[in-house]
């Protein structure tokens, strides 16, 4: 599994892309894993407006993950 952090999430974590092995089975389990490793990143991932994309498709809520998936976390979007 490959995890990608974009924008300020990348800045908070200090990395952009990271392989996770073994792969957590759900998106919530992945967030929990990242939160245990880095509490500041975990707080940012739980923030309002943070979205997740699995294999380049935005998701809502908890979804099942597979070992070859790419999960990207996107910071809140702004604009007008």
């Amino acid at each position: 599994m490959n995890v990608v952090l974009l924008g300020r999430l990348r800045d908070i974590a200090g990395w952009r892309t990271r392989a996770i092995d073994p792969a957590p089975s759900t998106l919530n389990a992945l967030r929990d894993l990242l939160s245990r490793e880095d509490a500041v990143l975990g707080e940012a991932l739980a923030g309002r407006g943070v979205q997740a994309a699995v294999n380049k498709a935005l998701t809502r809520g908890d979804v099942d993950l597979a070992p070859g998936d790419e999960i990207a976390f996107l910071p809140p979007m702004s604009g007008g």
Side-chain angles (χ1 to χ4, degrees):
M1 163 178 303
N2 197 37
V3 177
V4 179
L5 301 179
L6 301 174
R8 71 176 184 86
L9 300 172
R10 175 191 61 229
D11 297 338
I12 290 167
W15 52 271
R16 182 181 189 282
T17 305
R18 179 174 161 203
I20 305 275
D21 187 35
S25 61
T26 67
L27 186 58
N28 283 346
L30 174 60
R31 286 179 197 231
D32 290 345
L33 172 70
L34 295 172
S35 295
R36 283 192 308 272
E37 293 177 355
D38 184 335
V40 176
L41 175 60
E43 187 175 319
L45 290 174
R48 184 175 180 190
V50 173
Q51 296 185 22
V54 177
N55 300 322
K56 299 184 180 170
L58 288 176
T59 64
R60 289 188 176 255
D62 196 20
V63 296
D64 291 334
L65 301 176
D69 286 345
E70 177 184 81
I71 295 81
F73 289 101
L74 299 81
M77 303 293 174
S78 64

